[in-house]
Every structure is written in structure tokens, then in C-alpha cells.
Amino acid sequence: MKKKWWQEVVVYQIYPRSFKDSNGDGIGDIRGMIDELDYLEKLGIGAIWLSPVYQSPNDDNGYDISDYEAIMDEFGTMEDMDEFLAEANKRNIKVVMDLVVNHTSDEHQWFIEAKKGKDNPYRDYYVWADPAEDGGVPNDLRSTFSGTAWEFDELSGQYYLHLFSKKQPDLNWENEEMRQAVYDMMNFWIEKGIGGFRLDVIDLVGKIPLEGITGNGPKLHEYLQEMNQATFGNHDLLTVGETWGATPDIAKLYSNPARKELSMVFQFEHIGLDQQPGKEKWDLQPVDIAQLKTILTKWQIELGNEGWNSLFWNNHDLPRMISRWGNDQEYRVESAKMLAILLHMMKGTPYIYQGEEIGMTNTPISDISEAEDIETINMYNERLDQGYSKTEIIDSINAKGRDNARRPIAWNSKENGGFTTGTPWIALNENYQEINVAAALDDPDSIFYTYQKLVQLRKDNPIMVWGDFELVDTVDCVFSYYREYNGERWLIVTNFSNEEQAFSSEDKIEKVIIQNNKKEVTSLQNMILSPWQAFVVKVK
Ligand code: NOJ
């Protein structure tokens, strides 16, 4: 595999609405992002994945786009965006744009046209179907945001498909003109000097809805190869697909360089481990660490040289990992550092979601009126109708709801954490006086400096990028593995629990690379690991 810049960097995800507000309207914006580029440079990251900044009515916080070539008013202007790109590039930070082309907003000009009637030239840009024989929905496809995926259009007497909200009509990828229009738009951004694309729910574009096929449709890879050729194929860009159902074999179809599709995909197999099999993400079960090890190991090994991993615990759709599988109380700092070390030492490109580097936690709510997210609110109403108790639903929202990740970043301990001088669009976590960027930067032992060190280690040590992975056989709650490269061998040891755990190895320590507590590891024999302890040693 030819070495690529996107294999060597660490990527940082910005969710602009919650990052930094510069003008006091309570909503993060591009000028706020420009102001904090120095902070990101200090962290050391090489690329930003920027969640959507395009014009949008915000039914799904920007994932419902009404103009791909304009900036959302609340976020600023195209001049601000150009300046952001220039300032990021000056600091050697590439900007990966979110590409949301499974659907548009219903306020996109294409859909406004398409709705005018069956013979409108844009009609076929979207997915329409006649009612079933009884006049009802064409079939029982469900929207990710609860309820049917079909919405009736009075004027034409047909239904349109929306796999997300009804304000997010699905594009019809069978339509060649539509595909070309998407490629033109992508080239518009490529010409601006962006660093790549994160492709939103890209596994859905090959759908055949009337046959009940949504993910991994038959023409999916054909479309991606066509897109690659028409857009980023001749540029040195990072492309990462969001692919919920991917197995390692499917991931190789997307990311094998020989196939000319994408750089890598986000796979979610580990993310589903605290969900009851066959049910929805809200149906909780405790995570089994032994299973987590099996799955992550499978991904580390099976891609071989025919694919590339992305490594992540968090994003704007997922709860905060320290609250989820770490311990956000007694061991907040230890477990955050442990999760960071465990992830960044694996093979693949690591992603940090904003706030992860200072150990932000989930923000529990006690009433649905505190929720902002459409997925959460729709699910709440649906489950109430189905007879679930309020407490039960609120518990699953607190465990899995997307607002957990979307609370504003606290930059300091002042009012509203310095996020805004106005009223924030969603309240900050109450713990912001303790957990904020200024406090993290002031404390040499903070989680921030562990992340900074991991990013630097990656730059200095090719073994972190290219080394082979080998799992070590241990008790369930200890997750340990080797990386090996050009005769060099590193041993990673982490305790994934609130209890002490036994660990032993015959290896001799040559050098301690990083650790999350102050007691220097001197011997690997018959160790008792403290709760959430993590270290990496170079061994002989
Ligand atoms: C995945 C995005 O990450 C999520 O935030 C969004 O709601 C859906 N795709 C629909 O665009």
C-alpha cells in the first residue's frame, strides 16, 4: 500500500453549532472556529472533519441541506469559510467537509421543483412511489427518526421517501443528472482547497426502496467508483464513508486502494455492543469487554493491506464514551486517558470528537422538554404511544441520546463557559466550571496533554501507524496488544474496569512510552493493574 498523509494524521471533528460562538447569538460559528485554530494546532491534529456548515433549515442540525454551495447564515459567510480554509491550511491542517448526499432538505431548490409535478425535470432526482393498493404507504420501510419512511404528497398523489426526517427527502441515485450535479458541487469544494470528504450514510445511496433494500444496494460501489473518477480521484484527499452495516469484507470493497473508492470507512460494529441484538439503539444492555476485544481485534487483523481502519469512540451522534463505557465519576481522568491510549495505539486513523480531549461527559436530562435532537424527540413520542414509561425512555435518552455529544464546549469557567456571550442554543453541561479547556491547559496532568502526547508520538513513531497488531491473551477486563514494526515491539496494557486486575508478561521493558498514572511501570511480571490503568512500553 502506498503511504498516504491521511494514514499518518489524527483527525479532529468539529460540530460547529457547539464549538465556539463569536457573535453572541448562542450558536457556534465559523469565526469562532477560526479563533480556536491555534488551540487545535497546539493539540497537534492534522485534519478537521467539519460537520455541515451549508445552508440549512436545521431540522437535523445541518444534515438537511438546502444549498450545498452556500453557508448557513448562523455560521457566517462564504468569505468566513474561505478564511477558515486558508487559516487552517497555514497551520497544515486539512479540512474534510461533510458530504450529505443521500438526501437534501425539502427546502432545497431541487425538491421544490420536484414537488411541482410528475413531469418536472427534477422530479426524478428524488424517490417517489404510488400508494399501496389500500391507498396507504408503499411499504413498511421505517425512518431512522421513527415512523414510516414515506410521506404523502397531496399534489401528485404519490409518496416520497425519507429514510431520515420528512424534511430530508432521499435523493434518487439512479438518476444520472442528479449524480452529475452532486459531482459538480463536490468539485466546487475541491477547488477551494479542502482536504476531503466525510460521506454521510453513504451505504444507503444504492437503495432499492420498493424492494426493501436500503443499505449496501447492488450499485453502491459502482456509484462510488464513478464519484471517485469524477471528483477526488485525481486529488490527494481523505475520504471516509459512514457505513453502519459494514463488515471487514464490505470495508475492503470501499477502501481497497486498487478499487478506487474511498480512503476508509467508519464501521460501527463495536458501537452496537451495548444494544440488545436485533433491537434499537435505545434498548440497552451492558457492554461485554471480551466481545469488544474480539470485534476490535477482528477489524485490526482482517483489513490487512486491502483496507484501512478509522478509529473512534465518539462523534456527534454518539454518547460521550467516558460516560458510556468508562467511568465519568471517580475515574473520569484515568478512564478518559485509558480510552485514548487504547484507541490511538491501534492501527488506523484516529478521530477525536470535540470535547473528548478534555474529558467531557454526558448531560442527563429529567424531562423531554430539555431535548433538542429530532431523533430523540420522535423516539420519545413513539415509545410513549407504544406504552413505555417516561422513566424508561428518559433513561435510554440519557444513555444514548445525541444531545449528549452536542452540548457546547466550555472554553473557561466563566459564564456559559466562554462558549457564548448570549444564551446558548442548548445548555452547557453543569460541570463546565470543572471541565473546560482553560482548566485542562492549566493542568500538566490533564486529559488534554495525554491526547497531545499521543498525537506527537504518532508523528515520531512509524510503529503507531504501520505496526502489525497482535492481541495478548488476558483476563476479560484487561485489553492488551502488541504492535510490531521493523523489529521494534510495543506492548499496550489497559484495564477496562473499576477493579484491580492481574496482568503478567515475561517481556522486559526497554522504555516507557506513555502511561496514565504517576507510578512508573518497572516490571511486567505479576502486576496488579489499578482501575483504568493504561501504559505502553517498548519491550525486548
Ligand atoms: C448521519 C449523521 O451523522 C447524523 O447526524 C444525521 O442525522 C444522519 N446521518 C442523517 O443525515
Side-chain angles (χ1 to χ4, degrees):
M1 211 182 211
K2 217 172 112 209
K3 294 182 179 176
K4 294 285 193 181
W5 66 268
W6 43 258
Q7 294 172 301
E8 292 175 340
V9 293
V10 174
V11 186
Y12 185 93
Q13 184 191 351
I14 293 185
Y15 191 70
R17 207 174 176 76
S18 304
F19 191 62
K20 175 88 186 271
D21 175 24
S22 73
N23 64 356
D25 67 356
I27 295 170
D29 50 39
I30 296 172
R31 298 224 71 84
M33 294 174 355
I34 297 174
D35 290 345
E36 297 305 341
L37 277 170
D38 288 342
Y39 167 69
L40 297 181
E41 190 178 23
K42 190 178 170 96
L43 182 57
I45 52 109
I48 290 168
W49 154 22
L50 181 58
S51 276
V53 290
Y54 318 96
Q55 202 176 88
S56 159
N58 274 315
D59 192 50
D60 184 20
N61 284 1
Y63 283 89
D64 48 318
I65 297 168
S66 53
D67 186 344
Y68 292 100
E69 295 182 17
I71 298 295
M72 192 190 300
D73 293 339
E74 291 166 335
F75 289 171
T77 62
M78 192 57 89
E79 286 69 46
D80 295 333
M81 188 62 203
D82 290 337
E83 190 178 325
F84 175 69
L85 291 174
E87 287 298 319
N89 285 339
K90 251 191 233 169
R91 293 167 176 80
N92 282 322
I93 297 176
K94 317 240 187 200
V95 179
V96 174
M97 299 292 283
D98 217 313
L99 182 75
V100 188
V101 290
N102 173 65
H103 45 265
T104 67
S105 160
D106 64 339
E107 297 181 35
H108 192 289
Q109 203 52 44
W110 296 342
F111 193 68
I112 294 175
E113 285 298 319
K115 262 180 47 162
K116 288 184 179 164
K118 286 186 181 163
D119 47 12
N120 186 283
Y122 290 91
R123 182 76 176 180
D124 193 44
Y125 272 37
Y126 295 87
V127 182
W128 301 91
D130 290 329
E133 270 172 24
D134 64 0
V137 290
N139 63 21
D140 57 8
L141 274 186
R142 277 178 51 86
S143 151
T144 305
F145 296 161
S146 302
T148 171
W150 297 100
E151 179 72 7
F152 190 62
D153 169 52
E154 292 282 344
L155 188 72
S156 62
Q158 284 193 308
Y159 285 85
Y160 68 84
L161 179 75
H162 60 90
L163 292 174
F164 295 89
S165 105
K166 60 181 177 207
K167 286 186 67 59
Q168 291 166 298
D170 274 62
L171 286 165
N172 172 20
W173 275 71
E174 295 274 335
N175 184 298
E176 207 182 319
E177 244 175 76
M178 186 289 292
R179 297 202 304 274
Q180 198 50 55
V182 166
Y183 304 153
D184 290 347
M185 173 275 282
M186 292 172 71
N187 287 327
F188 165 88
W189 284 101
I190 291 174
E191 276 159 30
K192 279 188 179 289
I194 63 165
F197 295 104
R198 173 266 185 186
L199 295 87
D200 190 70
V201 288
I202 200 63
D203 55 327
L204 299 180
V205 300
K207 68 198 133 219
I208 312 181
L210 290 178
E211 290 175 23
I213 299 175
T214 52
N216 298 314
K219 290 200 189 150
L220 166 61
H221 295 282
E222 192 182 303
Y223 294 148
L224 284 174
Q225 285 167 8
E226 179 187 83
M227 174 193 281
N228 176 306
Q229 283 224 333
T231 63
F232 48 77
N234 290 324
H235 302 262
D236 192 13
L237 300 184
L238 182 166
T239 50
V240 52
E242 185 198 21
T243 58
W244 277 84
T247 59
D249 280 341
I250 294 179
K252 286 193 245 181
L253 295 179
Y254 288 109
S255 66
N256 184 343
R259 292 175 47 87
K260 296 193 179 357
E261 294 188 20
L262 304 176
S263 316
M264 61 186 115
V265 293
F266 289 126
Q267 65 82 15
F268 292 86
E269 206 178 337
H270 58 302
I271 292 297
L273 283 177
D274 52 9
Q275 163 180 339
Q276 294 169 35
K279 297 213 180 153
E280 296 184 329
K281 77 179 204 185
W282 312 105
D283 301 302
L284 314 173
Q285 70 172 17
V287 60
D288 174 350
I289 303 303
Q291 251 187 323
L292 178 71
K293 289 197 283 189
T294 308
I295 287 177
L296 290 179
T297 301
K298 173 175 83 179
W299 279 91
Q300 286 292 294
I301 293 185
E302 288 191 14
L303 294 191
N305 285 328
E306 295 164 70
W308 188 251
N309 275 301
S310 62
L311 306 169
F312 69 98
W313 293 126
N314 296 277
N315 67 33
H316 64 293
D317 294 329
L318 305 175
R320 294 279 177 188
M321 195 47 98
I322 21 173
S323 301
R324 188 178 189 176
W325 296 348
N327 178 330
D328 65 4
Q329 303 292 316
E330 204 186 337
Y331 295 113
R332 184 181 72 88
V333 173
E334 290 84 347
S335 65
K337 291 179 180 175
M338 171 277 194
L339 287 164
I341 292 171
L342 176 60
L343 192 82
H344 284 243
M345 287 293 160
M346 282 193 262
K347 189 171 185 178
T349 299
Y351 288 73
I352 302 172
Y353 176 65
Q354 67 181 35
E356 179 183 335
E357 79 282 10
I358 57 167
M360 283 178 71
T361 62
N362 278 355
T363 306
I365 59 172
S366 47
D367 189 82
I368 193 65
S369 59
E370 296 164 69
E372 289 285 345
D373 173 31
I374 180 169
E375 180 191 51
T376 296
I377 297 169
N378 289 359
M379 178 282 287
Y380 179 88
N381 292 327
E382 183 173 79
R383 291 207 163 189
L384 265 192
D385 285 349
Q386 290 168 350
Y388 288 76
S389 75
K390 273 192 191 171
T391 336
E392 221 174 334
I393 312 178
I394 294 289
D395 282 352
S396 42
I397 292 174
N398 288 338
K400 292 284 189 73
R402 304 197 299 180
D403 286 335
N404 281 308
R406 301 177 179 188
R407 301 282 168 173
I409 300 294
W411 294 93
N412 53 50
S413 58
K414 298 191 192 125
E415 203 180 351
N416 291 320
F419 165 70
T420 179
T421 54
T423 308
W425 71 276
I426 186 172
L428 277 84
N429 189 309
E430 281 174 6
N431 62 21
Y432 79 81
Q433 304 213 331
E434 181 203 345
I435 304 175
N436 61 65
V437 171
L441 293 178
D442 273 353
D443 171 7
D445 288 328
S446 73
I447 298 164
F448 175 88
Y449 291 110
T450 293
Y451 274 91
Q452 188 192 48
K453 184 162 182 184
L454 286 166
V455 177
Q456 187 59 42
L457 281 170
R458 188 177 178 85
K459 291 178 185 164
D460 299 339
N461 296 279
I463 186 174
M464 277 178 76
V465 183
W466 309 111
D468 288 334
F469 174 100
E470 186 195 333
L471 186 73
V472 178
D473 190 17
T474 57
V475 295
D476 280 358
C477 284
V478 173
F479 195 156
S480 170
Y481 55 90
Y482 290 106
R483 296 293 302 279
E484 187 162 353
Y485 184 68
N486 282 350
E488 185 172 340
R489 206 159 148 86
W490 285 15
L491 173 67
I492 292 87
V493 181
T494 67
N495 177 356
F496 219 122
S497 78
N498 287 319
E499 286 81 43
E500 291 183 337
Q501 300 289 347
F503 176 82
S504 192
S505 160
E506 294 303 316
D507 290 314
K508 298 278 168 293
I509 299 177
E510 204 177 311
K511 188 176 158 198
V512 176
I513 307 288
I514 189 169
Q515 57 180 57
N516 73 344
N517 66 8
K518 291 206 176 123
K519 218 174 70 207
E520 178 94 1
V521 188
T522 48
S523 154
L524 297 167
Q525 268 183 343
N526 303 321
M527 292 186 77
I528 300 294
L529 303 175
S530 57
W532 304 102
Q533 185 173 351
F535 60 84
V536 180
V537 284
K538 182 176 176 190
V539 293
K540 294 189 261 219

